[in-house]
Amino acid sequence: MNALLKKIYDTIVCYEDETINLGKELDKEVNRLVQPYQNLYNEQELEELKSKLYSISIQSERAGFILGVKWMMKLLLEIFMQ
């Protein structure tokens, strides 16, 4: 089931307007988080840091989607079983 939900997220959900808007907010947050390190790291190190932050975010978004779908299914089952 996780593989199917990941495929749904990766091929459909990530292209939806809400997800794209979330990505724009993520860009702002990553830039805000990296700002204090501008003078401490060179450009390549900053890009590596940004890449790691984006990777964490993408994995978290996907995991959040999967968790949300599972909780929705549990809720629906509970509602229909009553």
Side-chain angles (χ1 to χ4, degrees):
M1 180 173 179
N2 281 355
L4 178 59
L5 291 175
K6 285 179 184 178
K7 187 173 185 177
I8 291 169
Y9 181 86
D10 291 341
T11 58
I12 299 171
V13 176
C14 69
Y15 298 107
E16 293 295 316
D17 289 341
E18 295 90 353
T19 308
I20 292 169
N21 290 334
L22 181 62
K24 291 175 184 176
E25 291 300 315
L26 172 65
D27 288 339
K28 292 177 191 175
E29 185 64 15
V30 166
N31 287 326
R32 187 188 70 76
L33 291 171
V34 171
Q35 188 66 35
Y37 302 98
Q38 293 285 338
N39 296 327
L40 299 175
Y41 298 129
N42 65 41
E43 192 64 32
Q44 181 180 356
E45 292 169 327
L46 285 173
E47 288 304 314
E48 288 176 17
L49 177 58
K50 284 182 180 183
S51 178
K52 289 177 183 180
L53 291 171
Y54 283 118
S55 178
I56 291 167
S57 177
I58 291 167
Q59 291 175 25
S60 297
E61 287 174 27
R62 186 185 300 123
F65 171 75
I66 291 169
L67 185 61
V69 170
K70 287 180 178 181
W71 276 100
M72 178 191 64
M73 294 305 296
K74 287 179 184 181
L75 178 63
L76 288 173
L77 282 173
E78 188 169 318
I79 289 170
F80 291 126
M81 294 299 186
Q82 291 184 7

PDB file of all heavy atoms in Angstrom, residues 20-40:
ATOM      1  N   ILE A  20       2.223  22.858  -5.122  1.00  0.00           N
ATOM      2  CA  ILE A  20       3.126  23.832  -5.732  1.00  0.00           C
ATOM      3  C   ILE A  20       3.231  25.076  -4.856  1.00  0.00           C
ATOM      4  O   ILE A  20       4.327  25.604  -4.629  1.00  0.00           O
ATOM      5  CB  ILE A  20       2.663  24.181  -7.165  1.00  0.00           C
ATOM      6  CG1 ILE A  20       2.846  22.949  -8.065  1.00  0.00           C
ATOM      7  CG2 ILE A  20       3.420  25.380  -7.708  1.00  0.00           C
ATOM      8  CD1 ILE A  20       2.194  23.069  -9.422  1.00  0.00           C
ATOM      9  N   ASN A  21       2.095  25.530  -4.333  1.00  0.00           N
ATOM     10  CA  ASN A  21       2.115  26.687  -3.431  1.00  0.00           C
ATOM     11  C   ASN A  21       2.882  26.377  -2.150  1.00  0.00           C
ATOM     12  O   ASN A  21       3.612  27.227  -1.626  1.00  0.00           O
ATOM     13  CB  ASN A  21       0.694  27.138  -3.107  1.00  0.00           C
ATOM     14  CG  ASN A  21       0.012  27.774  -4.297  1.00  0.00           C
ATOM     15  OD1 ASN A  21       0.666  28.308  -5.194  1.00  0.00           O
ATOM     16  ND2 ASN A  21      -1.299  27.703  -4.330  1.00  0.00           N
ATOM     17  N   LEU A  22       2.733  25.166  -1.648  1.00  0.00           N
ATOM     18  CA  LEU A  22       3.503  24.742  -0.480  1.00  0.00           C
ATOM     19  C   LEU A  22       4.995  24.778  -0.796  1.00  0.00           C
ATOM     20  O   LEU A  22       5.810  25.192   0.037  1.00  0.00           O
ATOM     21  CB  LEU A  22       3.082  23.338  -0.047  1.00  0.00           C
ATOM     22  CG  LEU A  22       3.766  22.755   1.178  1.00  0.00           C
ATOM     23  CD1 LEU A  22       3.464  23.599   2.417  1.00  0.00           C
ATOM     24  CD2 LEU A  22       3.327  21.321   1.388  1.00  0.00           C
ATOM     25  N   GLY A  23       5.360  24.379  -2.008  1.00  0.00           N
ATOM     26  CA  GLY A  23       6.764  24.426  -2.431  1.00  0.00           C
ATOM     27  C   GLY A  23       7.312  25.844  -2.448  1.00  0.00           C
ATOM     28  O   GLY A  23       8.471  26.075  -2.086  1.00  0.00           O
ATOM     29  N   LYS A  24       6.487  26.792  -2.846  1.00  0.00           N
ATOM     30  CA  LYS A  24       6.915  28.192  -2.841  1.00  0.00           C
ATOM     31  C   LYS A  24       7.168  28.673  -1.412  1.00  0.00           C
ATOM     32  O   LYS A  24       8.135  29.403  -1.154  1.00  0.00           O
ATOM     33  CB  LYS A  24       5.866  29.063  -3.526  1.00  0.00           C
ATOM     34  CG  LYS A  24       5.782  28.817  -5.015  1.00  0.00           C
ATOM     35  CD  LYS A  24       4.651  29.603  -5.643  1.00  0.00           C
ATOM     36  CE  LYS A  24       4.522  29.256  -7.128  1.00  0.00           C
ATOM     37  NZ  LYS A  24       3.382  29.929  -7.752  1.00  0.00           N
ATOM     38  N   GLU A  25       6.306  28.271  -0.505  1.00  0.00           N
ATOM     39  CA  GLU A  25       6.506  28.621   0.906  1.00  0.00           C
ATOM     40  C   GLU A  25       7.764  27.952   1.449  1.00  0.00           C
ATOM     41  O   GLU A  25       8.497  28.532   2.240  1.00  0.00           O
ATOM     42  CB  GLU A  25       5.286  28.231   1.739  1.00  0.00           C
ATOM     43  CG  GLU A  25       4.050  29.055   1.444  1.00  0.00           C
ATOM     44  CD  GLU A  25       4.252  30.536   1.703  1.00  0.00           C
ATOM     45  OE1 GLU A  25       4.818  30.897   2.750  1.00  0.00           O
ATOM     46  OE2 GLU A  25       3.839  31.340   0.846  1.00  0.00           O
ATOM     47  N   LEU A  26       8.004  26.727   1.002  1.00  0.00           N
ATOM     48  CA  LEU A  26       9.213  26.014   1.400  1.00  0.00           C
ATOM     49  C   LEU A  26      10.459  26.753   0.929  1.00  0.00           C
ATOM     50  O   LEU A  26      11.430  26.874   1.681  1.00  0.00           O
ATOM     51  CB  LEU A  26       9.202  24.587   0.841  1.00  0.00           C
ATOM     52  CG  LEU A  26      10.487  23.789   1.016  1.00  0.00           C
ATOM     53  CD1 LEU A  26      10.778  23.542   2.494  1.00  0.00           C
ATOM     54  CD2 LEU A  26      10.408  22.492   0.256  1.00  0.00           C
ATOM     55  N   ASP A  27      10.440  27.261  -0.295  1.00  0.00           N
ATOM     56  CA  ASP A  27      11.577  28.032  -0.811  1.00  0.00           C
ATOM     57  C   ASP A  27      11.893  29.212   0.098  1.00  0.00           C
ATOM     58  O   ASP A  27      13.053  29.475   0.424  1.00  0.00           O
ATOM     59  CB  ASP A  27      11.300  28.549  -2.226  1.00  0.00           C
ATOM     60  CG  ASP A  27      11.317  27.447  -3.267  1.00  0.00           C
ATOM     61  OD1 ASP A  27      11.911  26.382  -3.014  1.00  0.00           O
ATOM     62  OD2 ASP A  27      10.727  27.661  -4.349  1.00  0.00           O
ATOM     63  N   LYS A  28      10.841  29.932   0.493  1.00  0.00           N
ATOM     64  CA  LYS A  28      11.034  31.074   1.392  1.00  0.00           C
ATOM     65  C   LYS A  28      11.645  30.638   2.721  1.00  0.00           C
ATOM     66  O   LYS A  28      12.545  31.279   3.245  1.00  0.00           O
ATOM     67  CB  LYS A  28       9.704  31.782   1.649  1.00  0.00           C
ATOM     68  CG  LYS A  28       9.129  32.485   0.452  1.00  0.00           C
ATOM     69  CD  LYS A  28       7.774  33.082   0.795  1.00  0.00           C
ATOM     70  CE  LYS A  28       7.052  33.568  -0.439  1.00  0.00           C
ATOM     71  NZ  LYS A  28       5.690  34.037  -0.120  1.00  0.00           N
ATOM     72  N   GLU A  29      11.139  29.524   3.266  1.00  0.00           N
ATOM     73  CA  GLU A  29      11.625  29.046   4.559  1.00  0.00           C
ATOM     74  C   GLU A  29      13.061  28.558   4.476  1.00  0.00           C
ATOM     75  O   GLU A  29      13.875  28.830   5.363  1.00  0.00           O
ATOM     76  CB  GLU A  29      10.708  27.938   5.079  1.00  0.00           C
ATOM     77  CG  GLU A  29      11.048  27.443   6.462  1.00  0.00           C
ATOM     78  CD  GLU A  29      10.897  28.493   7.554  1.00  0.00           C
ATOM     79  OE1 GLU A  29      10.279  29.544   7.337  1.00  0.00           O
ATOM     80  OE2 GLU A  29      11.414  28.244   8.665  1.00  0.00           O
ATOM     81  N   VAL A  30      13.405  27.839   3.418  1.00  0.00           N
ATOM     82  CA  VAL A  30      14.779  27.367   3.244  1.00  0.00           C
ATOM     83  C   VAL A  30      15.728  28.560   3.150  1.00  0.00           C
ATOM     84  O   VAL A  30      16.782  28.588   3.788  1.00  0.00           O
ATOM     85  CB  VAL A  30      14.908  26.442   2.012  1.00  0.00           C
ATOM     86  CG1 VAL A  30      16.367  26.234   1.629  1.00  0.00           C
ATOM     87  CG2 VAL A  30      14.234  25.102   2.273  1.00  0.00           C
ATOM     88  N   ASN A  31      15.352  29.552   2.369  1.00  0.00           N
ATOM     89  CA  ASN A  31      16.199  30.742   2.248  1.00  0.00           C
ATOM     90  C   ASN A  31      16.345  31.457   3.583  1.00  0.00           C
ATOM     91  O   ASN A  31      17.434  31.945   3.916  1.00  0.00           O
ATOM     92  CB  ASN A  31      15.647  31.685   1.177  1.00  0.00           C
ATOM     93  CG  ASN A  31      15.868  31.153  -0.215  1.00  0.00           C
ATOM     94  OD1 ASN A  31      16.871  30.496  -0.486  1.00  0.00           O
ATOM     95  ND2 ASN A  31      14.935  31.414  -1.104  1.00  0.00           N
ATOM     96  N   ARG A  32      15.256  31.502   4.362  1.00  0.00           N
ATOM     97  CA  ARG A  32      15.326  32.118   5.685  1.00  0.00           C
ATOM     98  C   ARG A  32      16.261  31.337   6.609  1.00  0.00           C
ATOM     99  O   ARG A  32      17.070  31.919   7.334  1.00  0.00           O
ATOM    100  CB  ARG A  32      13.931  32.203   6.307  1.00  0.00           C
ATOM    101  CG  ARG A  32      13.881  32.973   7.620  1.00  0.00           C
ATOM    102  CD  ARG A  32      12.535  32.854   8.292  1.00  0.00           C
ATOM    103  NE  ARG A  32      12.277  31.520   8.807  1.00  0.00           N
ATOM    104  CZ  ARG A  32      12.832  31.021   9.920  1.00  0.00           C
ATOM    105  NH1 ARG A  32      13.688  31.728  10.621  1.00  0.00           N
ATOM    106  NH2 ARG A  32      12.528  29.801  10.335  1.00  0.00           N
ATOM    107  N   LEU A  33      16.171  30.028   6.562  1.00  0.00           N
ATOM    108  CA  LEU A  33      17.007  29.187   7.426  1.00  0.00           C
ATOM    109  C   LEU A  33      18.480  29.247   7.044  1.00  0.00           C
ATOM    110  O   LEU A  33      19.360  29.153   7.902  1.00  0.00           O
ATOM    111  CB  LEU A  33      16.523  27.733   7.387  1.00  0.00           C
ATOM    112  CG  LEU A  33      15.183  27.452   8.039  1.00  0.00           C
ATOM    113  CD1 LEU A  33      14.729  26.040   7.726  1.00  0.00           C
ATOM    114  CD2 LEU A  33      15.253  27.680   9.537  1.00  0.00           C
ATOM    115  N   VAL A  34      18.756  29.379   5.765  1.00  0.00           N
ATOM    116  CA  VAL A  34      20.136  29.381   5.274  1.00  0.00           C
ATOM    117  C   VAL A  34      20.793  30.760   5.440  1.00  0.00           C
ATOM    118  O   VAL A  34      22.019  30.864   5.524  1.00  0.00           O
ATOM    119  CB  VAL A  34      20.157  28.912   3.798  1.00  0.00           C
ATOM    120  CG1 VAL A  34      21.509  29.097   3.168  1.00  0.00           C
ATOM    121  CG2 VAL A  34      19.741  27.453   3.715  1.00  0.00           C
ATOM    122  N   GLN A  35      19.984  31.800   5.514  1.00  0.00           N
ATOM    123  CA  GLN A  35      20.494  33.169   5.574  1.00  0.00           C
ATOM    124  C   GLN A  35      21.609  33.372   6.610  1.00  0.00           C
ATOM    125  O   GLN A  35      22.637  33.975   6.285  1.00  0.00           O
ATOM    126  CB  GLN A  35      19.332  34.136   5.856  1.00  0.00           C
ATOM    127  CG  GLN A  35      19.711  35.590   5.742  1.00  0.00           C
ATOM    128  CD  GLN A  35      20.076  35.991   4.319  1.00  0.00           C
ATOM    129  OE1 GLN A  35      19.494  35.489   3.373  1.00  0.00           O
ATOM    130  NE2 GLN A  35      21.034  36.865   4.180  1.00  0.00           N
ATOM    131  N   PRO A  36      21.477  32.882   7.848  1.00  0.00           N
ATOM    132  CA  PRO A  36      22.547  33.114   8.824  1.00  0.00           C
ATOM    133  C   PRO A  36      23.891  32.480   8.459  1.00  0.00           C
ATOM    134  O   PRO A  36      24.923  32.834   9.021  1.00  0.00           O
ATOM    135  CB  PRO A  36      22.007  32.479  10.106  1.00  0.00           C
ATOM    136  CG  PRO A  36      20.540  32.379   9.922  1.00  0.00           C
ATOM    137  CD  PRO A  36      20.326  32.230   8.447  1.00  0.00           C
ATOM    138  N   TYR A  37      23.889  31.552   7.521  1.00  0.00           N
ATOM    139  CA  TYR A  37      25.112  30.838   7.144  1.00  0.00           C
ATOM    140  C   TYR A  37      25.771  31.408   5.887  1.00  0.00           C
ATOM    141  O   TYR A  37      26.787  30.886   5.432  1.00  0.00           O
ATOM    142  CB  TYR A  37      24.811  29.350   6.957  1.00  0.00           C
ATOM    143  CG  TYR A  37      24.230  28.725   8.193  1.00  0.00           C
ATOM    144  CD1 TYR A  37      22.851  28.546   8.325  1.00  0.00           C
ATOM    145  CD2 TYR A  37      25.052  28.353   9.250  1.00  0.00           C
ATOM    146  CE1 TYR A  37      22.313  27.994   9.482  1.00  0.00           C
ATOM    147  CE2 TYR A  37      24.514  27.804  10.409  1.00  0.00           C
ATOM    148  CZ  TYR A  37      23.141  27.636  10.507  1.00  0.00           C
ATOM    149  OH  TYR A  37      22.616  27.099  11.651  1.00  0.00           O
ATOM    150  N   GLN A  38      25.191  32.460   5.330  1.00  0.00           N
ATOM    151  CA  GLN A  38      25.705  33.047   4.092  1.00  0.00           C
ATOM    152  C   GLN A  38      27.188  33.416   4.187  1.00  0.00           C
ATOM    153  O   GLN A  38      27.936  33.223   3.243  1.00  0.00           O
ATOM    154  CB  GLN A  38      24.904  34.298   3.705  1.00  0.00           C
ATOM    155  CG  GLN A  38      23.473  34.026   3.316  1.00  0.00           C
ATOM    156  CD  GLN A  38      23.337  33.405   1.937  1.00  0.00           C
ATOM    157  OE1 GLN A  38      24.212  33.528   1.094  1.00  0.00           O
ATOM    158  NE2 GLN A  38      22.227  32.725   1.714  1.00  0.00           N
ATOM    159  N   ASN A  39      27.593  33.938   5.317  1.00  0.00           N
ATOM    160  CA  ASN A  39      28.983  34.381   5.479  1.00  0.00           C
ATOM    161  C   ASN A  39      29.899  33.290   6.036  1.00  0.00           C
ATOM    162  O   ASN A  39      31.109  33.474   6.090  1.00  0.00           O
ATOM    163  CB  ASN A  39      29.041  35.610   6.391  1.00  0.00           C
ATOM    164  CG  ASN A  39      28.325  36.789   5.778  1.00  0.00           C
ATOM    165  OD1 ASN A  39      28.313  36.947   4.560  1.00  0.00           O
ATOM    166  ND2 ASN A  39      27.717  37.613   6.604  1.00  0.00           N
ATOM    167  N   LEU A  40      29.309  32.184   6.463  1.00  0.00           N
ATOM    168  CA  LEU A  40      30.104  31.107   7.053  1.00  0.00           C
ATOM    169  C   LEU A  40      30.504  30.032   6.046  1.00  0.00           C
ATOM    170  O   LEU A  40      31.524  29.371   6.213  1.00  0.00           O
ATOM    171  CB  LEU A  40      29.324  30.453   8.201  1.00  0.00           C
ATOM    172  CG  LEU A  40      28.967  31.360   9.381  1.00  0.00           C
ATOM    173  CD1 LEU A  40      28.086  30.608  10.365  1.00  0.00           C
ATOM    174  CD2 LEU A  40      30.229  31.874  10.061  1.00  0.00           C
TER     175      LEU A  40
END
